[in-house]
Amino acid sequence: MTTFENKSELKGKRALVTGGSRGIGAAVVRGLLDAGAEVLTTARSTTTAAPEGAAFVTADVRTPAGVEALASAAREVLGEVDILVHNVGGAEPYKDALAIPDEGWRDALDLNYLASVRLDSLLAPGMRERRSGAIVHVSSAAVLTPIGPFLHYVAAKAALEYYSRGLALELAPHGVRVNAVSPGRTATPGGEATRELWARLDAAPGHGDVTAPPLGREGRPEDIAEAVLFLVSERASWLTGRNLIVDGGEYPMG
Ligand SMILES: NC(=O)c1ccc[n+]([C@@H]2O[C@H](COP(=O)([O-])OP(=O)(O)OC[C@H]3O[C@@H](n4cnc5c(N)ncnc54)[C@H](OP(=O)(O)O)[C@@H]3O)[C@@H](O)[C@H]2O)c1
């Protein structure tokens, strides 16, 4: 489904994608494979298979130990990592911001922010030494509307975006690029499940209702993957510290 013209554009590149067993992560994995990269991906369970052709390890990136195990597996399977795509993320909505318990805030930070920080701290030094590498952090266009039920998630993603820009500045002189991609509403198992939960919350009428973005449809995982694939390719060699919002026109001021 991805539209790479040059099938060997990423030949010789070794890529790690977190959360590649379904949804956006799986589309990124397929796109990287199509472009000739060697790919390792990860998820907590093995019930949904990773795309054919990718290596797979189970890992839970919510804890420092889980991230360390993943970095070790990456070194074992890939040797070095040239492309790192932090795709894992998500959160269950609460009734409103004040209903979010301490645990909800901490879980959201671990999954949507600290997992990336921790994995970067283990794998980006190798990129810096080799003076080559591309990192993409998957955030969310929801950062542009910080609504209460998702404030834990949105605040964690906002931290991720800010961190991503700072890391980009630090690594730019060393030949490593760091960017973010912020999807709008995208048709994935995780996205659908979250929106169903939101619609069922006991809140004001209309709460959780969604209209189609200006381009008339929800995003497909491949729409988001295209942006990630562009950012990790040489075509984006003069792009770093940016956040590409891919939302069908939903947030024109983003
Ligand atoms: N879909 C949307 O509408 C939308 C909108 C804005 C932003 N995003 C962002 O886009 C990214 C991907 O979203 P998606 O909708 O494609 O998600 P998804 O359908 O829920 O898929 C998530 C992937 O991550 C894995 N995963 C989840 N928790 C994990 C953990 N703790 N450790 C390791 N792997 C884990 C899942 O497998 P297991 O469950 O087996 O672990 C699965 O492979 C997320 O960062 C999300 O916040 C999505």
Side-chain angles (χ1 to χ4, degrees):
M1 285 288 279
T2 47
T3 54
F4 256 80
E5 282 171 21
N6 181 353
K7 294 282 180 196
S8 59
E9 186 173 32
L10 298 177
K11 202 166 168 33
K13 298 289 185 194
R14 297 151 295 185
L16 173 59
V17 180
T18 63
S21 65
R22 59 172 190 259
I24 292 167
V28 171
V29 170
R30 286 192 296 271
L32 288 167
L33 290 168
D34 281 356
E38 185 185 352
V39 185
L40 170 67
T41 192
T42 182
R44 287 164 302 175
S45 80
T46 50
T47 48
T48 330
E52 203 182 325
F56 177 83
V57 288
T58 53
D60 187 339
V61 298
R62 282 174 299 186
T63 63
V67 170
E68 276 162 31
L70 177 57
S72 300
R75 288 192 197 100
E76 224 166 87
V77 175
L78 299 173
E80 306 289 354
V81 175
D82 306 299
I83 294 170
L84 180 51
V85 181
H86 296 278
N87 164 71
V88 164
E92 291 196 0
Y94 289 86
K95 188 173 182 303
D96 54 39
L98 297 180
I100 303 171
D102 191 63
E103 198 188 349
W105 288 102
R106 278 190 283 111
D107 287 350
L109 281 169
D110 276 331
L111 188 67
N112 294 287
Y113 174 47
L114 290 173
S116 296
V117 174
R118 290 167 179 152
L119 195 54
D120 287 343
S121 76
L122 295 170
L123 297 178
M127 294 180 174
R128 183 173 56 188
E129 267 165 40
R130 296 190 305 282
R131 300 194 61 78
S132 164
I135 298 173
V136 170
H137 298 110
V138 178
S139 182
S140 172
V143 168
L144 296 162
T145 51
I147 54 168
F150 288 102
L151 203 52
H152 52 329
Y153 168 71
V154 170
K157 291 288 199 188
L160 178 68
E161 289 179 19
Y162 204 81
Y163 155 79
S164 190
R165 285 166 203 251
L167 188 68
L169 278 182
E170 185 164 308
L171 294 180
H174 304 281
V176 181
R177 296 183 301 101
V178 184
N179 288 289
V181 167
S182 288
R185 260 176 289 144
T186 308
T188 66
E192 298 309 327
T194 306
R195 283 185 282 279
E196 265 171 39
L197 279 175
W198 186 26
R200 276 195 270 120
L201 280 176
D202 176 24
H207 187 96
D209 286 358
V210 286
T211 51
L215 279 177
R217 62 168 175 84
E218 280 192 337
R220 303 180 189 108
E222 289 75 17
D223 294 319
I224 314 304
E226 287 291 352
V228 174
L229 294 164
F230 166 65
L231 287 171
V232 301
S233 76
E234 276 305 300
R235 286 174 289 143
S237 63
W238 209 47
L239 260 174
T240 198
R242 293 296 158 197
N243 177 23
L244 191 44
I245 298 165
V246 187
D247 65 348
E250 187 163 5
Y251 300 96
M253 304 308 284

